[in-house]
Amino acid sequence: MSAMQQTLAATLAEIVGPDRVSIDHESLQVFGKDWTKVYEPNPAAIVFPGSIEEVQALVRLANEQKFALVPSGGRTGLSGGAVAANGEVVVAFDRMNQILDFSAVDRQVVCQPGVITEQLQQFAEDKGLFYPVDFASSGSSQIGGNVATNAGGIKVIRYGLTRDWVMGMKVVTGTGELLELNHGLVKNATGYDLRHLFIGSEGTLGFIVELTMALATPPKDPTVLVLAVDDLEATMHVLQAFQGALDICAFEFFSEKALLHVMAEKGLQRPFDTVGTFYALIEFENTSEAVMESAMSVFEHCVEQGWALDGTMSQNITQARSLWRLREDISETISRFTPYKNDISVQVSKVPAFLKDVDAIVTSRYPDFEIIWFGHIGDGNVHLNILKPDALAKEEFFRQCGDVSYDIFDAVKAYGGSVSAEHGVGLLKKAYLQYSRSEAEIASMRALKQVFDPHKVMNPGKIFD
């Protein structure tokens, strides 16, 4: 380590204490990156604040000494938003991990940003309530990071995005100022709601240091139905049929190729003998015998119409969880193939045509690459995963995938979609932002950055340069 690093570490230690600063190689590698494998981490130091006041002091120091800060939560991001590749100081929120307050009347919980998603879900359950934002990384992702990327997940069709559950927040801006936003109010018509600027801002405007989150009534007897379909157009008919009869909680899809990988890697069983090109997973609340009869009636109608080939329904919570694993275990299963991921969205009705066009683009450009599709088809969000062949170097693989991404995002733009549905822009999607945002919008975002972070110390180089 350099003398400059040691001097910086000593200065940081004056704020948080000597045992709360790390400059050893292992810590720099672990805390300097997220789940993306495209960028090599190169932070100067890792600092672990334990209070809002310490975060403010760190930001003021960064302004004085002109170094950059990168926020680090659970590091489960997939766009490089938490990567420190240029000598930045990483601000890790692992110590700020307490639930501070709870109101049963308001159904709100106040928590620090380092609270793990699963921890909040369990707290809500212990109080007889429900925190509905859920995804595969809930066991390691942190609430602050979820809010900073406006995380979506598997139940958006019923419960919305993380944004819909943020009732208040405290944010330290790029000048070190503390903003207290909305105070947990349901109604507040007093000008601009600055909450929503910081939600999804990826730490580029300020660092979230406290959150007030809403909770919900728990679902009753969540029941899962998995159907095999031959094409995605049929999936749209299935979605319309079930939405017309039931208040569904989730509507996911995954391909046969994805299922084969999960079965091989996780030892799971095929849900039924019939093989489909794709599978739809539907979750609903089994609140009465009438609801179950309605679900069975819609299922039979879908089979009669030829939209569904076969299906199975969970009979208890254990079976429901097993069926969910067919979808939820995909990301972890294919991670060993160093996949190139695209997290894209269009209007729900456009998904079949869009997916067909994109699949044709990738297949024609790279016929030897395996393509894995899955996602939240009920809200128009699909995940395109291109798997790296073993013989191909990682750098060359990412270069080739990056080249074809321009064609993919041409299609995204033509369909009026988004190049990043729920994983943020970070570093990975920065070059493609103009496919989803106009020049005027990007100029406005740059202007906001200047207001809240005039010296560009907050996660610089993310979203735009």
Side-chain angles (χ1 to χ4, degrees):
M1 69 190 69
S2 67
M4 188 177 297
Q5 264 185 301
Q6 292 178 318
T7 300
L8 175 62
T11 305
L12 295 170
E14 292 176 4
I15 295 174
V16 299
D19 58 340
R20 305 301 185 187
V21 180
S22 298
I23 55 175
D24 61 282
H25 178 74
E26 182 179 356
S27 295
L28 297 179
Q29 291 296 303
V30 170
F31 288 92
K33 63 184 178 182
D34 56 17
W35 279 3
T36 52
K37 299 180 181 181
V38 181
Y39 310 98
E40 291 298 323
N42 183 35
I46 316 298
V47 60
F48 299 87
S51 69
I52 293 174
E53 292 75 19
E54 288 181 356
V55 175
Q56 288 181 279
L58 290 169
V59 173
R60 289 170 183 148
L61 180 67
N63 278 276
E64 291 169 7
Q65 298 197 2
K66 296 181 172 53
F67 61 81
L69 302 172
V70 172
S72 178
R75 297 172 294 284
T76 59
L78 294 168
S79 292
V83 172
N86 298 296
E88 303 97 333
V89 171
V90 173
V91 181
F93 288 95
D94 296 50
R95 287 180 62 212
M96 296 177 67
N97 61 359
Q98 300 299 307
I99 291 176
L100 304 174
D101 197 10
F102 168 71
S103 170
V105 174
D106 294 314
R107 289 189 166 192
Q108 292 179 4
V109 56
V110 179
C111 60
Q112 293 180 307
V115 167
I116 302 296
T117 308
E118 194 172 71
Q119 179 186 348
L120 179 57
Q121 292 168 336
Q122 186 59 56
F123 179 87
E125 184 177 332
D126 292 344
K127 299 296 184 180
L129 295 169
F130 181 57
Y131 181 66
V133 182
D134 196 13
F135 26 72
S137 63
S138 61
S140 52
S141 64
Q142 295 179 6
I143 294 298
N146 295 349
V147 175
T149 56
N150 191 26
I154 58 178
K155 299 185 180 181
V156 171
I157 194 172
R158 171 73 179 275
Y159 296 105
L161 299 157
T162 298
R163 179 184 303 280
D164 300 299
W165 298 91
V166 181
M167 301 304 296
M169 66 166 67
K170 294 181 181 180
V171 181
V172 174
T173 71
T175 62
E177 183 179 6
L178 180 66
L179 300 182
E180 299 186 40
L181 307 176
N182 198 58
H183 303 282
L185 298 174
V186 175
K187 289 185 173 182
N188 183 5
T190 53
Y192 308 131
D193 190 343
L194 298 181
R195 261 181 314 169
H196 295 289
L197 281 179
F198 291 95
I199 299 170
S201 66
E202 302 181 47
T204 60
L205 303 178
F207 291 168
I208 297 165
V209 291
E210 187 177 292
L211 287 157
T212 300
M213 307 298 293
L215 302 177
T217 301
K220 296 180 180 178
D221 193 10
T223 300
V224 175
L225 175 63
V226 174
L227 304 176
V229 298
D230 256 348
D231 58 71
L232 282 176
E233 191 62 49
T235 308
M236 292 294 100
H237 294 305
V238 172
L239 172 61
Q240 187 175 3
F242 273 92
Q243 280 188 311
L246 300 172
D247 188 10
I248 61 177
C249 301
F251 194 92
E252 302 283 297
F253 91 107
F254 52 94
S255 66
E256 168 66 12
K257 290 181 180 179
L259 178 61
L260 289 173
H261 279 291
V262 171
M263 290 193 300
E265 177 72 17
K266 300 297 184 181
L268 302 180
Q269 299 298 310
R270 186 176 288 279
F272 37 77
D273 292 336
T274 305
V275 175
T277 306
F278 295 99
Y279 300 87
L281 184 150
I282 304 159
E283 183 181 275
F284 63 93
E285 291 184 69
N286 182 14
T287 55
S288 67
E289 187 174 331
V291 169
M292 182 59 74
E293 289 176 356
S294 180
M296 288 303 300
S297 176
V298 175
F299 166 60
E300 291 168 0
H301 175 70
C302 290
V303 173
E304 290 170 0
Q305 296 297 315
W307 302 331
L309 306 176
D310 202 350
T312 187
M313 188 180 297
S314 64
Q315 301 302 310
N316 51 55
I317 191 64
T318 300
Q319 290 182 8
R321 288 171 178 163
S322 294
L323 291 175
W324 261 116
R325 287 193 63 191
L326 301 175
R327 161 63 184 87
E328 283 286 84
D329 284 7
I330 296 173
S331 286
E332 181 183 345
T333 295
I334 65 174
S335 63
R336 66 187 183 93
F337 295 100
T338 314
Y340 185 89
K341 294 174 172 289
N342 271 302
D343 158 44
I344 45 189
S345 66
V346 295
Q347 286 180 296
V348 177
S349 60
K350 298 177 181 178
V351 167
F354 171 71
L355 191 146
K356 183 179 179 181
D357 286 352
V358 172
D359 194 76
I361 290 169
V362 179
T363 302
S364 64
R365 289 286 298 273
Y366 301 116
D368 296 332
F369 290 176
E370 184 176 4
I371 302 168
I372 301 294
W373 285 104
F374 64 91
H376 321 293
I377 197 169
D379 57 50
N381 178 195
V382 295
H383 298 298
L384 164 65
N385 296 264
I386 306 172
L387 306 190
K388 185 184 81 64
D390 291 336
L392 189 62
K394 182 179 74 171
E395 293 75 15
E396 176 61 17
F397 172 67
F398 284 132
R399 185 195 66 76
Q400 292 186 28
C401 291
D403 289 344
V404 79
S405 286
Y406 288 99
D407 294 329
I408 293 171
F409 295 142
D410 277 334
V412 170
K413 186 174 183 178
Y415 279 88
S418 172
V419 299
S420 183
E422 61 177 356
H423 293 155
V425 177
L427 293 170
L428 199 61
K429 297 294 182 66
K430 182 168 61 173
Y432 314 115
L433 185 60
Q434 71 272 17
Y435 287 86
S436 292
R437 294 297 191 112
S438 68
E439 290 184 12
E441 286 180 295
I442 295 173
S444 295
M445 288 193 284
R446 290 184 188 278
L448 288 168
K449 170 78 169 174
Q450 182 64 28
V451 169
F452 290 102
D453 182 28
H455 299 116
K456 297 179 173 58
V457 300
M458 308 299 271
N459 212 9
K462 311 298 166 53
I463 303 180
F464 42 72
D465 291 318

